[in-house]
Amino acid sequence: DSGVTQTPKHLITATGQRVTLRCSPRSGDLSVYWYQQSLDQGLQFLIQYYNGEERAKGNILERFSAQQFPDLHSELNLSSLELGDSALYFCASSARDPVGNEQFFGPGTRLTVL
Amino acid sequence: DAKTTQPPSMDCAEGRAANLPCNHSTISGNEYVYWYRQIHSQGPQYIIHGLKNNETNEMASLIITEDRKSSTLILPHATLRDTAVYYCIVRVANTGNQFYFGTGTSLTVIP
């Protein structure tokens, strides 16, 4: 158990819909990262938040957005869903932002878009 | 960003040492080498990381060559539960702390 929690575990929805994935980092961790893992793309970094502020962006679509709240939990919002958005979405957290810190990953949310 | 190259798959007999190689010839001086593994569709699990010196923890050892262009992850006594995809990652400096995962090595531990 990494200490990172993600809800829900599974999500099934239809094309065009909007969903919200939630992540609670390990106690005390200030950084939250979101990754997408699909069958044909592997693990892709989406976005990072540090202490409530966006820190880095990866391959995140404009239809996707995220935020980190004052209690440090984070939400990833996916809108206008397409079949290709079906994937595992992982959240990770790390203690601070200096070089050398490892990231701890949650169990993931499996999104299925029908 | 520094890229890594790993063999797509490897087998190892149970109880023997598993040596997983990784090439990272474009690594910069301040970039760390990290190893993670992913068992089935679970979240990636941290194994070990290092900068220049060899590192050892309760899970594995990390051997980094002197020129830092390659490294080897060593699982000293592989068990069936070590069957997983192993990712070698070089952290991209000055762009946050995100990881860029490659395709990894699928390690199968054989009874």
Side-chain angles (χ1 to χ4, degrees):
Chain A
D1 184 1
S2 67
V4 177
T5 60
Q6 291 186 248
T7 55
K9 288 186 75 173
H10 302 278
L11 199 48
I12 302 174
T13 188
T15 55
Q17 295 297 305
R18 182 179 190 273
V19 297
T20 298
L21 313 183
R22 182 188 169 101
C23 168
S24 293
R26 292 188 319 155
S27 177
D29 283 1
L30 299 179
S31 274
V32 170
Y33 311 79
W34 286 97
Y35 293 84
Q36 178 193 56
Q37 186 172 35
S38 55
L39 280 175
D40 58 345
Q41 292 286 331
L43 264 160
Q44 301 275 319
F45 166 71
L46 294 178
I47 197 164
Q48 176 200 0
Y49 277 81
Y50 176 74
N51 202 20
E53 295 192 1
E54 182 183 303
R55 189 63 174 252
K57 263 187 174 179
N59 301 319
I60 189 165
L61 300 172
E62 285 191 13
R63 300 184 284 109
F64 297 180
S65 64
Q67 52 185 330
Q68 186 179 27
F69 295 87
D71 67 352
L72 300 177
H73 91 271
S74 177
E75 292 181 355
L76 179 67
N77 300 297
L78 315 176
S79 62
S80 303
L81 284 168
E82 302 175 359
L83 296 177
D85 298 327
S86 295
L88 272 167
Y89 291 85
F90 291 105
C91 165
S93 73
S94 65
R96 289 171 300 183
D97 206 34
V99 176
N101 267 354
E102 62 267 36
Q103 294 179 17
F104 296 89
F105 283 76
T109 293
R110 182 176 292 278
L111 174 66
T112 302
V113 182
L114 301 175
Chain B
D1 52 326
K3 303 290 187 190
T4 61
T5 304
Q6 300 176 253
S9 64
M10 292 180 64
D11 292 337
C12 177
E14 190 178 16
R16 304 297 292 269
N19 296 283
L20 293 93
C22 179
N23 286 319
H24 30 79
S25 58
T26 59
I27 191 170
S28 299
N30 61 347
E31 291 180 324
Y32 283 71
V33 179
Y34 292 80
W35 283 84
Y36 278 76
R37 73 181 182 184
Q38 187 174 26
I39 298 172
H40 195 44
S41 295
Q42 299 177 21
Q45 178 189 21
Y46 167 79
I47 301 173
I48 199 167
H49 75 283
L51 182 62
K52 295 180 185 177
N53 300 320
N54 298 337
E55 302 287 344
T56 296
N57 63 20
E58 64 279 3
M59 286 184 69
S61 294
L62 174 61
I63 308 298
I64 302 174
T65 57
E66 196 167 334
D67 63 7
R68 303 212 321 127
K69 292 185 177 181
S70 65
S71 60
T72 301
L73 178 74
I74 301 172
L75 308 178
H77 306 287
T79 71
L80 298 179
R81 287 183 294 180
D82 292 323
T83 293
V85 177
Y86 287 76
Y87 295 98
C88 169
I89 304 159
V90 172
R91 179 193 175 278
V92 178
N94 301 322
T95 56
N97 201 27
Q98 67 272 22
F99 291 137
Y100 288 88
F101 287 78
T103 52
T105 295
S106 178
L107 175 69
T108 301
V109 180
I110 302 167

